[in-house]
Amino acid sequence: MTRTRNPELTRVTLLDAAATVLKDLGAGLSLDAVAKEAGVSKGGLLHHFPSREALLNALALRLLEQFRARVAAALEAELTAHGPQPGAWARAYIAASFDPRAEEEAIYAVMQTLAVQADVLAAWQATETELMAAAETDGLPLGRAHAIRLACDGLCLSHAPAAYFDAVREELIRWTR
């Protein structure tokens, strides 16, 4: 029987495994642990990601893209439900920011250290530019739009209790009305 290979599926599997290992081990992530979690050889992992840094960079880029997709989906839902009203983007950003993603919580802190890598930094800056432009064209006062965005970013990186998150989320939503 011929074994079919799907490099993209293998990359996704490896990134999923890296996220799991990173969540469990934090900065102690090793390529051996990721390969074992993914069910591939270390050589197979190295074929797709030639170094630990390459793997973590790819994971950081995927997290950025997943967040952008969540904001876009939340904005589409907001526009469908309420039409293009001021604050629609801000409400979508709040929804995406406070959407519980347990697998991401432990990863974000480690990913911050990768922001100095050129490709991750470029993607991060491009995303930040896009988010700033969206906030500025949302129909809210400029300071309020950015305060909402920055509050979401800061709180999601904190270790505050769930009740704190709920209270802040509700207050931020009030700011969009």
Side-chain angles (χ1 to χ4, degrees), residues 63-85:
L63 286 170
L64 281 172
E65 189 51 43
Q66 287 172 336
F67 182 74
R68 291 170 72 171
R70 280 204 319 270
V71 172
L75 180 57
E76 184 177 324
E78 176 71 28
L79 293 174
T80 299
H82 305 289
Q85 298 183 11

Side-chain angles (χ1 to χ4, degrees), residues 87-102:
W89 180 87
R91 287 186 293 281
Y93 194 81
I94 293 166
S97 295
F98 285 85
D99 183 14
R101 303 285 179 169

